[in-house]
Amino acid sequence: MKAGQQETRAMNGDEAVAYAVKQSDVDVVAAYPITPQTIIVERFSEYVADGKVKTEFVCTESEHSALSACVAASATGARTFTASASAGLALMHEILYVTSGCRAPVVMAIANRALSAPINIHCDHSDSMAERDSSWVQIYVENSQEAYDSIIQAFRIAEHPDLLLPVMVCLDAFFLSHTLENVKVLPDEAVREFVGNRQLPLITNHNGEKVPFKLDPDNPITMGPLDLFDYYFEHKRQQEEAMQKAAQIITETHNAYSQLTGRRYGNGLVDSYRLEDAEIATVCVGSTAGTTKTVVDQLRAKGVKAGLLRLRNFRPLPVRDIKEALENISAIAVMDRSNSFGGYGGPIFHELRHVLYDTSSHPYVVDYIYGLGGRDMPQNIIKGIYKDLMEIVETKSVKEYVQFAGVR
Amino acid sequence: MRDEQKGWKDIPIAGVCWKPATEYHTGDWRTFKPVRDQAKCTKCLLCPMICPDTAIKWNKATEDIEFDYNFCKGCGICAHECPVDAIKMVREGA
Amino acid sequence: MVATISWKFTAREIAEKPELFTSGHRACAGCGPAIALRQIMKATRGPTIVTNATGCMEVVSTIYPYTAWKVPWIHTAFENAAANASGIEAALKAMKRKRRLKQEKVDVIAFAGDGGTFDIGIQALSGAAERGHDFLYVLYDNEAYMNTGIQRSGGTPHGASTTTSPGGTDIPGKTQMKKPIADIMVAHEIPYVATASIAYWQDLLIKARKGLEAEGPAFLHVFAPCPRGWRYDTSKTIELARLAVETCIFPLWEAIDSEYSLSPQSKIMTLKPERRKDVREYLKMQRRFGHLFKPKFEHVLTDIQKIIDKRWNKLLKKCSMT
Ligand SMILES: Cc1ncc(C[n+]2csc(CCOP(=O)(O)OP(=O)(O)O)c2C)c(N)n1
Ligand code: SF4
Ligand code: SF4
Ligand code: SF4
Ligand SMILES: [Mg+2]
């Protein structure tokens, strides 16, 4: 399969996601509409209506039920997908933990949107960042092409017998979900082959038999029991172990996919831009990386040694890659599109500083909360951030560790 | 009844159960024990149907019912419902 | 459509059927819901997957690492049994379409308590019913949140004392009425809805089987007394389940394609009204109603009788019995 065999289609991010799902031989899609994810559900409904997929589509009465249906379908052995955003994801909160606890490899697209109140339908990352501890793999994409590519990879990652954890693919509301872009798509068969059939590891059941890990009347298993203080902790330890293996599974899947398409997103975990000899750098997730790259180029043209690190994965946190990429940078600005109220900065800031604490170079790390509720992040603000970083390097001091960028 | 405590590497993932409940005996919860008068019993099979703990079983070979005291919790439903009063509840150890 | 055959489960046949819900579960002695589950699992017709809402039955049957289930079983949360069942059914459908299902047909049963059904789970249930998934939903009704310590639910009857509707000096227990949940399900126009009682095992098994055979959603409301929560002697579980029918506080009926009909155990109460028992006899046996027998609250007993009569007459009309 050559990259040349790919077809270019004009699609927005939501459509790209729906198209990837259509190609991935998904058994059950259970979902509930919410702006800006709606297009995913609508497009997929059309595929169902037109007989283009053999998927069972369950249009539930709530997101809570959508994810509940996905967990149970996944436990029954089906490949499952759902999509949500904002209030919908928040309503799923309880079941997010159940999904990972049941080791159900559900794949979900999130069109990142602000949380109420006041109600706002535009982009920020408050919704998915609030779920960072739910034991889901989180991939944040930069553009619609990556949304398409990541959904296909997500099925293979989630269902890997050593992982068996659900995966969220997060794309920025409107900036990606609704913006038309040229997306290269693979032929159906190539995707089918790449995702393969769902693998079911063997597991010991209550009869002492090794049976496939699914609800099968021929080989019964009991899932989701009452787990007291004597074993609950062990089950959570197993989940952490799976997360530890995730990084390798993600990079392997990303490599295999690049061979097929010729497209790469860094090493699959982090995507560095002009960082090699950089002195100052910003760190972000999602579509802001696009604008930031333009700014980096402009600064570079003026001789400023600026760079960017885009985290593609926030869960698992690519600790080693972050250290390697940033340890020689003098000053780093994290750009957080969500806030941890009263928490001294946003979630990415917290984790990044915590990772870099161990480096001997001890770079300066500051945070900029930006873009809440879809507020624009224009080039001049990003330039301002790099300017602040230059000042920090010059003065060897930080005036303010946490700031708000673009608020009046 | 305590189990040996296994580590996280040695148990199935996802909290899948690995022991049948029939290995957990509930008979020691009992203070009164159902005792049947075989002569009175008509083998109507009502009591095996309504025992919450499946502690009364139909034995096909002997064509008779049997109490499984490993599980009987001594609720007394069988004795209360038996249409011919064939079951008496007797204090354990009495 | 529900086939019109009625199954005759003989005691012998049922006694010889393997136990799919086994001994070794940790329900209290004399637990009514445990009887309901046992009996219903005896009505299964082949490969079956069970999902269970959080509540007593989930907890007592699967205390890790033990399980009392011989069928594939999953619990995920309190309010979503019907959504889980939807997902299982959808998965089975898709896998069948893709020729990845070994079995010709797999039945799906969802068990949930009154809390998981009348209250927190009603949205998921209503949604699943409207979507028409093929599954049997069994509500085992012990009339309160037992697992968390006997709190009131929408299924708790008028006057009952629970830990969140205590019979106090001023307020005589729960002041609201029991939600007519089975009627609400009939209003969904699903193929099969029935009420049943663990006191009449054959009727219960037949109804469970009808529910499984119905193509589409079926709803079975099973009356299942709880000695701990209702505070009566453990040996009286079946007697109370019978008295509830004999006093018409919990009549037995079914609605096939929304056509109501009284089941024989309740029909007899219209044919031979002298068989109908005074509700006081039923209430007096349970300490959750004990406060109603104090002079101050005696009027509540009259109210309860009025509620029963009103609902009974309504039911008779629906069953074209008047
Ligand atoms: C979302 C949520 N809220 C509350 C609870 C706590 N809870 C667990 S079981 C239960 C009551 C169950 O009552 P019911 O459905 O009647 O079943 P029963 O225990 O009586 O068998 C409650 C309130 C929970 N597990 N999940
Ligand atoms: S109910 Fe009584 S008569 Fe019937 S089988 Fe049991 S003991 Fe015998
Ligand atoms: S006393 Fe209760 S548990 Fe024991 S056999 Fe009789 S009905 Fe079953
Ligand atoms: S509290 Fe009631 S319903 Fe729960 S196990 Fe005990 S008897 Fe059964
Ligand atoms: Mg209850």
Side-chain angles (χ1 to χ4, degrees), chain A residues 62-331:
Chain A
S62 76
E63 288 87 352
H64 193 284
S65 285
L67 189 56
S68 298
C70 283
V71 176
S74 183
T76 311
R79 175 170 292 154
T80 54
F81 174 82
T82 187
S84 196
S86 182
L89 183 60
L91 188 58
M92 286 177 176
H93 175 74
E94 178 195 21
I95 308 300
L96 293 175
Y97 285 72
V98 173
T99 313
S100 48
C102 286
R103 307 299 293 271
V106 177
V107 171
M108 164 152 61
I110 306 289
N112 283 115
R113 162 182 159 182
L115 288 167
S116 295
I119 193 164
N120 173 297
I121 59 166
H122 294 282
C123 177
D124 72 35
H125 299 147
S126 313
D127 52 2
S128 56
M129 283 297 166
E131 308 301 349
R132 64 189 182 273
D133 295 335
S134 62
S135 189
W136 283 59
V137 169
Q138 288 194 337
I139 298 173
Y140 289 82
V141 304
E142 185 180 332
N143 49 46
S144 300
Q145 179 69 64
E146 192 184 356
Y148 169 82
D149 294 335
S150 301
I151 290 285
I152 295 169
Q153 293 172 32
F155 287 108
R156 198 156 128 171
I157 294 166
E159 293 170 11
H160 193 292
D162 289 341
L163 187 62
L164 287 172
L165 284 176
V167 177
M168 275 178 205
V169 175
C170 306
L171 58 150
D172 286 346
F174 296 101
F175 299 118
L176 299 184
S177 67
H178 285 58
T179 307
L180 222 54
E181 207 183 282
N182 277 335
V183 176
K184 282 192 176 154
V185 300
L186 288 161
D188 289 354
E189 319 80 66
V191 177
R192 265 300 259 285
E193 200 181 312
F194 184 80
V195 294
N197 289 330
R198 192 174 153 194
Q199 306 295 309
L200 298 163
L202 294 179
I203 193 160
T204 308
N205 75 357
H206 49 269
N207 299 326
E209 298 156 352
K210 290 260 183 203
V211 301
F213 177 50
K214 68 165 180 169
L215 299 170
D216 174 2
D218 287 355
N219 302 294
I221 61 171
T222 290
M223 289 179 77
L226 173 69
D227 203 9
L228 302 172
F229 43 75
D230 53 351
Y231 278 106
Y232 179 86
F233 202 171
E234 276 66 31
H235 289 121
K236 296 298 122 180
R237 177 67 187 83
Q238 289 178 327
Q239 260 172 258
E240 184 56 37
E241 188 66 11
M243 266 292 181
Q244 293 310 318
K245 290 185 186 150
Q248 202 192 331
I249 293 165
I250 293 163
T251 44
E252 278 171 14
T253 309
H254 176 256
N255 289 342
Y257 190 79
S258 326
Q259 285 198 337
L260 196 65
T261 60
R263 284 187 293 278
R264 290 196 70 81
Y265 303 100
N267 67 354
L269 299 167
V270 297
D271 194 3
S272 310
Y273 190 72
R274 306 188 83 164
L275 268 184
E276 307 74 42
D277 61 338
E279 244 178 29
I280 53 174
T282 57
V283 177
C284 70
V285 300
S287 64
T288 304
T291 329
T292 310
K293 282 175 188 169
T294 315
V295 173
V296 167
D297 289 344
Q298 291 166 2
L299 293 169
R300 285 276 175 174
K302 289 186 195 153
V304 181
K305 288 188 171 175
L308 160 73
L309 181 72
R310 177 173 73 92
L311 302 183
R312 182 166 183 255
N313 273 266
F314 191 62
R315 283 292 178 274
L317 190 71
V319 175
R320 209 190 49 210
D321 308 81
I322 292 173
K323 271 190 200 160
E324 273 173 23
L326 298 178
E327 93 196 310
N328 298 319
I329 311 285
S330 307

Side-chain angles (χ1 to χ4, degrees), chain C residues 8-239:
Chain C
K8 279 211 171 54
F9 293 108
T10 65
R12 180 78 181 253
E13 177 196 337
I14 293 307
E16 284 176 5
K17 241 188 131 175
E19 301 290 337
L20 300 177
F21 176 70
T22 71
S23 310
H25 64 70
R26 303 213 222 148
C28 314
C31 174
I35 300 175
L37 263 57
R38 251 201 81 202
Q39 296 189 346
I40 289 162
M41 291 313 292
K42 291 269 189 182
T44 53
R45 56 175 176 167
T48 307
I49 297 177
V50 170
T51 180
N52 214 142
T54 313
C56 271
M57 288 303 98
E58 163 260 332
V59 164
V60 304
S61 67
T62 61
I63 299 186
Y64 189 85
Y66 298 94
T67 176
W69 296 93
K70 292 287 179 201
V71 292
W73 181 96
I74 185 169
H75 154 258
T76 69
F78 184 23
E79 64 278 52
N80 65 356
N84 279 170
S86 309
I88 297 167
E89 189 249 15
L92 293 168
K93 257 187 177 166
M95 294 192 309
K96 181 154 184 168
R97 193 178 299 142
K98 296 182 179 186
R99 299 178 198 283
R100 271 178 28 227
L101 192 67
K102 283 177 288 179
Q103 297 84 3
E104 188 45 39
K105 171 80 193 160
V106 177
D107 287 325
V108 182
I109 304 179
F111 287 109
D114 47 296
T117 305
F118 289 78
D119 296 345
I120 202 165
I122 196 168
Q123 173 178 327
L125 171 60
S126 178
E130 180 268 332
R131 292 190 300 273
H133 296 280
D134 187 10
F135 74 114
L136 170 64
Y137 187 101
V138 177
L139 152 62
Y140 67 88
D141 189 3
N142 54 16
E143 302 197 317
Y145 300 170
M146 296 312 176
N147 183 45
T148 39
I150 327 173
Q151 294 87 19
R152 87 188 274 291
S153 80
T156 303
H158 187 74
S161 177
T162 69
T163 54
T164 51
S165 67
T169 51
D170 292 9
I171 302 175
K174 185 176 164 181
T175 51
Q176 302 82 0
M177 298 199 294
K178 187 181 177 90
K179 197 191 274 190
I181 189 79
D183 293 316
I184 292 168
M185 292 319 293
V186 176
H188 282 72
E189 299 183 357
I190 56 177
Y192 191 72
V193 177
T195 67
S197 160
I198 54 167
Y200 305 97
W201 63 266
Q202 205 171 22
D203 180 66
L204 171 58
L205 261 70
I206 289 171
K207 284 170 173 168
R209 177 61 76 85
K210 281 187 183 174
L212 288 168
E213 303 238 325
E215 279 169 29
F219 181 82
L220 187 57
H221 182 176
V222 185
F223 192 78
C226 158
R228 183 168 161 269
W230 298 8
R231 295 184 285 156
Y232 62 85
D233 181 82
T234 56
S235 65
K236 306 279 168 43
T237 296
I238 297 289
E239 185 183 349

Side-chain angles (χ1 to χ4, degrees), chain B residues 26 30 32-35 47-48 50-56 66-69 71-80 87 89, chain C residues 29-30 35 38 234-235:
Chain B
T26 52
R30 191 173 57 232
F32 288 91
K33 176 177 176 169
V35 178
C47 60
I50 55 176
C51 170
D53 289 282
T54 322
I56 313 172
E66 277 168 8
F67 286 79
D68 188 340
Y69 294 112
F71 298 106
C72 164
K73 292 171 186 160
C75 68
I77 292 178
C78 53
H80 192 67
I87 303 172
M89 298 304 288
Chain C
I35 300 175
R38 251 201 81 202
T234 56
S235 65

